[in-house]
């Protein structure tokens, strides 16, 4: 696995907690947790959705080794893979909510986007600028030479 925040836990406890939280996020599609945990969950949840979109047997085995529950795995490879088939990334949203009373930890909702009853609507995709046709090197050098001659004359 990649480098994670320590979250005040040893490795086995941290990975177990993250596996459970990602599974609960996939199952319920929105959970409330602390901001630092939500930032770590986001990385893993996006990775699981990417595996679900891939749909191969190798991806299914990798996802099954991480998430908990057959129902979660089924939802990941059917419903979420279909929902995000056209999206290239950024499947989750983090919304800061409150300060927890007991220890003043900042809390946040982490949720999947483009679903029913979401807390905030997704932004429309930004339109990509039109692609210019590449210039061949000879035309490019002629244009730059012509431009340099004009500036030298002034």
């Amino acid at each position: 696995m990649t480098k994670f925040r320590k979250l005040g836990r040893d490795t086995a406890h941290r990975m177990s907690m993250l596996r459970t939280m990602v599974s609960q996020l996939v199952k319920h599609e929105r959970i409330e947790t602390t901001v630092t945990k939500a930032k770590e969950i986001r990385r893993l949840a996006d990775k699981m959705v990417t595996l679900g979109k891939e749909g191969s047997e190798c991806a299914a085995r990798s996802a099954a080794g991480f998430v908990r529950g057959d129902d979660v795995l089924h939802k990941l490879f059917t419903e979420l893979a279909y929902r995000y088939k056209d999206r290239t990334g950024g499947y989750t949203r983090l919304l800061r909510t409150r300060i927890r009373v007991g220890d003043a930890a900042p809390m946040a909702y982490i949720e999947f986007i483009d679903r029913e009853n979401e807390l905030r609507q997704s932004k429309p995709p930004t339109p990509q600028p039109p692609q210019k046709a590449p210039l061949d090197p000879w035309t490019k050098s002629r244009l730059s030479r012509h431009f340099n001659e004009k500036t030298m004359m002034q």
Side-chain angles (χ1 to χ4, degrees), residues 8-26:
R9 291 158 173 82
D10 60 3
T11 306
H13 183 193
R14 180 174 58 247
M15 290 312 296
S16 176
M17 178 191 65
L18 291 174
R19 288 176 62 190
T20 302
M21 292 183 93
V22 168
S23 299
Q24 292 300 311
L25 176 64
V26 170

Side-chain angles (χ1 to χ4, degrees), residues 48-61:
M48 291 300 120
V49 172
T50 304
L51 287 175
K53 283 175 50 178
E54 188 178 319
S56 66
E57 187 176 344
C58 180
R61 288 175 190 257

Side-chain angles (χ1 to χ4, degrees), residues 76-89:
L76 197 59
F77 278 82
T78 55
E79 184 180 333
L80 295 179
Y82 178 73
R83 186 188 306 168
Y84 299 121
K85 68 178 183 276
D86 297 329
R87 185 177 279 274
T88 57

Side-chain angles (χ1 to χ4, degrees), residues 102-116:
D103 59 353
M107 301 295 285
Y109 278 117
I110 182 168
E111 67 177 3
F112 284 111
I113 60 173
D114 297 336
R115 66 180 186 88
E116 293 180 15

